[in-house]
Amino acid sequence: QVQLVETGGGLAQPGGSLRLSCVASGFTFSLYDMAWYRQAPGKSRERVASIHISDQTYYPDSVKGRFTISRDNAKNTVYLQMNSLKPEDTAVYYCHRPRGGDWGQGTQVTISS
């Protein structure tokens, strides 16, 4: 059974930082690309970061320079380091395995002063 379990969400102030973690199980983690998506109320789910099995990464312009995705294959974990947070970063953040079509349960990130 594939499981993706996110942790690390919560409340942060504008300009602050949060680090999200996603612990994966049920598949050979090192053989799969991983990604982070987010969805705000009334908006579509959008990709905020991807990481290839080679560690090549992708970021959209909205988060480029502020967010960093990384992975630790020994721990079956993918991370999302979020710095210089903005109110528009407020959303539920989801861990995703694209090739398997699997999603985590989501973790709420709220940026507010």
Side-chain angles (χ1 to χ4, degrees):
Q1 181 182 0
V2 171
Q3 285 190 298
L4 303 173
V5 180
E6 302 102 329
T7 58
L11 178 65
Q13 295 184 348
S17 297
L18 288 171
R19 189 178 79 155
L20 308 183
S21 298
C22 172
V23 178
S25 60
F27 64 97
T28 305
F29 179 79
S30 63
L31 299 181
Y32 288 84
D33 300 343
M34 298 295 296
W36 286 95
Y37 284 68
R38 68 185 181 189
Q39 188 167 25
K43 300 181 68 177
S44 60
R45 192 168 296 186
E46 63 173 340
R47 182 170 53 145
V48 296
S50 297
I51 186 164
H52 193 260
I53 58 175
S54 69
D55 285 344
Q56 182 180 18
T57 57
Y58 159 84
Y59 309 94
D61 289 342
S62 58
V63 308
K64 192 173 298 181
R66 300 188 299 119
F67 290 12
T68 302
I69 189 171
S70 61
R71 66 191 298 156
D72 185 339
N73 290 337
K75 296 182 178 180
N76 287 351
T77 301
V78 60
Y79 303 95
L80 185 67
Q81 178 67 46
M82 304 185 293
N83 299 326
S84 301
L85 286 163
K86 304 175 180 180
E88 51 262 45
D89 295 320
T90 296
V92 177
Y93 283 70
Y94 298 91
C95 185
H96 179 52
R97 185 177 68 137
R99 184 149 65 90
D102 302 295
W103 297 90
Q105 81 288 349
T107 185
Q108 177 71 50
V109 170
T110 302
I111 313 303
S112 177
S113 60

